[in-house]
Amino acid sequence: MSTTPDAVTQQTPFKSTWPLALCAGLLGIGQNGLLVVLPQLVSMTGLSLSAWAGLLMFGSMLFLPASPWWGRQAEIRGCKFVVLAALLGYLASFAVLALVVWSMASGKLGVAGGMAGLIVSRTLYGLTVSGMVPAAQTWAMQRAGTENRMAALASISSGLSCGRLLGPPLAAAALSLHPQAPLWLMALAPLLALMTVVRQPNDPPLPPVAHQSTRLQLNMLPYLLLALLLAACISLMQLGLSPHLKPLFPENTTQISHHVAWLLSLAAVSTLLAQFLVVRPQRLSAGGLLAVAAVLLVCGLALMSLPGLVTFYIGIVVTSLGSAMATPGYQLLLNDRLSTGKGAGVIATSHTLGYGLSALLVPLVSGLYGEQALIGVALALAAGFLALSGGVCWRKAR
């Protein structure tokens, strides 16, 4: 009986990956839903906005050590174990958050005790939910088979994008019922995913790819740098939306907020279109995706750097299309060299480092050149992404 990878690949039946996309969507709902209720959290707890920003950042930075560890656990214990642990951690973290906020709002808990409880909540979030996307991506690729890896990644990315798109309106609708309703909604939402995932069978690992390593090596660094540059570039672009619009709508913050909301919604829709129309049907190879994405990123941010409003809207569409195509491109190229679970983990870590780099660059760029230069710096990072992508594609073609 043949045991070659090709033989194994042909026997791999395609299984639905949408239960896993639902899990990824919860992460998007939680991320963007919290931003909507942030003003209410400030008023209910008496903590400053900077304190809440620090708490949110603290939970996100815990992804750095935890994501690679969960990637290894996915290979050792199976992806189902990691996804279930992430869902339970998600439920526990938001339940603690809702309980602490209720206690502080009703006067049952002081500032010191409340801050301790919120730190526990964010620690639970960062140390458990960090395994969600790497494990869901790895499990989806196992279910889809080697020949459908790109489509599997697109389904997880689509779930995450849908969650980010639905998070704000869901949180706003719950907010109209009660100030704390969005927190309990986020705490109870994982129950649906838990009931779905717990009935799913664990899937065997994908057959090993030739020259695939189980350890991170120096020649894999370009793929991690691409992930870091993309995350920093997109984060700076988003943070630069309001400063860029200020000269167009001086002393009209309401109109600026409306335009930012429309721009972010347009970006989310464009991301979904790219995932459904290009990535999921696997119309391009991994190298082709990366090359096209790099060009779109540069062109889109160049359009956004122009002073007009129409070019700004067109630019964010082009940039979002490039961003959606870039991630599966460099992730699949890395998975050809590094085992799937570890690859997903280190890519998630690189994305977190990119967001951290963006947070460091904002005050530096704003102090030296002003806030309106943020889009320009994002364009410079995109140019670096284009140059590095060209080098990666050229080396692969040799």
Side-chain angles (χ1 to χ4, degrees):
M1 180 178 176
S2 173
T3 57
T4 62
D6 287 340
V8 177
T9 298
Q10 290 170 1
Q11 295 168 5
T12 303
F14 186 87
K15 302 175 186 175
S16 175
T17 56
W18 289 111
L20 307 177
L22 171 65
C23 298
L26 286 174
L27 184 60
I29 290 173
Q31 288 173 340
N32 283 16
L34 264 183
L35 295 177
V36 172
V37 299
L38 205 50
Q40 282 71 29
L41 293 176
V42 170
S43 63
M44 286 188 291
T45 60
L47 298 175
S48 66
L49 184 61
S50 59
W52 274 103
L55 284 166
L56 297 181
M57 179 60 71
F58 171 68
S60 299
M61 293 311 291
L62 288 175
F63 278 50
L64 283 173
S67 289
W69 187 83
W70 282 118
R72 291 192 296 273
Q73 294 306 306
E75 295 182 344
I76 296 169
R77 300 187 179 215
C79 296
K80 182 177 180 178
F81 170 82
V82 178
V83 171
L84 288 174
L87 287 171
L88 288 170
Y90 186 104
L91 190 155
S93 67
F94 274 100
V96 171
L97 178 63
L99 189 61
V100 170
V101 169
W102 173 79
S103 299
M104 294 181 75
S106 60
K108 292 180 170 60
L109 200 59
V111 173
M115 181 61 81
L118 293 172
I119 289 172
V120 169
S121 167
R122 295 305 294 171
T123 302
L124 279 170
Y125 181 87
L127 293 181
T128 58
V129 181
S130 51
M132 179 86 77
V133 171
Q137 288 176 333
T138 304
W139 197 359
M141 286 190 280
Q142 290 172 356
R143 305 200 101 190
T146 306
E147 71 280 9
N148 293 310
R149 290 182 306 161
M150 192 181 294
L153 284 177
S155 66
I156 303 302
S157 298
S158 300
L160 194 57
S161 299
C162 285
R164 287 173 177 159
L165 191 61
L166 292 173
L170 282 175
L175 202 58
S176 64
L177 301 175
H178 191 275
Q180 294 172 29
L183 298 180
W184 291 111
L185 173 66
M186 293 173 206
L188 295 174
L191 290 175
L192 174 62
L194 274 169
M195 288 188 291
T196 304
V197 171
V198 77
R199 297 190 308 222
Q200 301 294 319
N202 225 340
D203 289 89
L206 291 174
V209 178
H211 310 300
Q212 191 181 59
S213 172
T214 58
R215 292 180 178 273
L216 191 63
Q217 297 176 358
L218 192 62
N219 62 2
M220 303 170 189
L221 187 60
Y223 306 104
L224 306 187
L225 286 175
L226 285 171
L228 186 150
L229 285 171
L230 179 69
C233 171
I234 296 302
S235 180
L236 279 176
M237 180 270 288
Q238 291 174 339
L239 292 170
L241 294 178
S242 294
H244 187 90
L245 291 168
K246 279 181 183 177
L248 299 175
F249 305 98
E251 299 179 3
N252 194 338
T253 55
T254 302
Q255 201 164 4
I256 291 173
S257 296
H258 287 162
H259 277 289
V260 169
W262 278 109
L263 286 163
L264 291 176
S265 298
L266 190 60
V269 171
S270 302
T271 299
L272 279 172
L273 284 174
Q275 288 159 352
F276 279 112
L277 299 180
V278 180
V279 182
R280 187 170 174 78
Q282 302 185 125
R283 300 189 189 282
L284 297 170
S285 65
L289 270 182
L290 187 61
V292 172
V295 173
L296 288 174
L297 278 173
V298 172
C299 293
L301 286 164
L303 285 170
M304 293 183 74
S305 301
L306 299 175
L309 186 62
V310 174
T311 53
F312 200 58
Y313 269 84
I314 296 172
I316 201 168
V317 170
V318 176
T319 302
S320 301
L321 291 172
S323 173
M325 295 164 63
T327 303
Y330 56 65
Q331 184 159 354
L332 288 173
L333 290 173
L334 177 62
N335 287 151
D336 288 338
R337 295 171 174 266
L338 185 64
S339 59
T340 306
K342 287 187 176 68
V346 295
I347 287 292
T349 298
S350 299
H351 286 158
T352 305
L353 284 172
Y355 299 138
L357 174 63
S358 169
L360 291 174
L361 284 174
V362 169
L364 180 64
V365 173
S366 300
L368 292 175
Y369 307 106
E371 291 180 335
Q372 291 182 30
L374 292 175
I375 299 287
V377 175
L379 176 59
L381 292 177
F385 186 94
L386 175 62
L388 187 56
S389 298
V392 166
C393 293
W394 175 78
R395 189 175 67 174
K396 182 176 172 60
R398 287 177 62 187

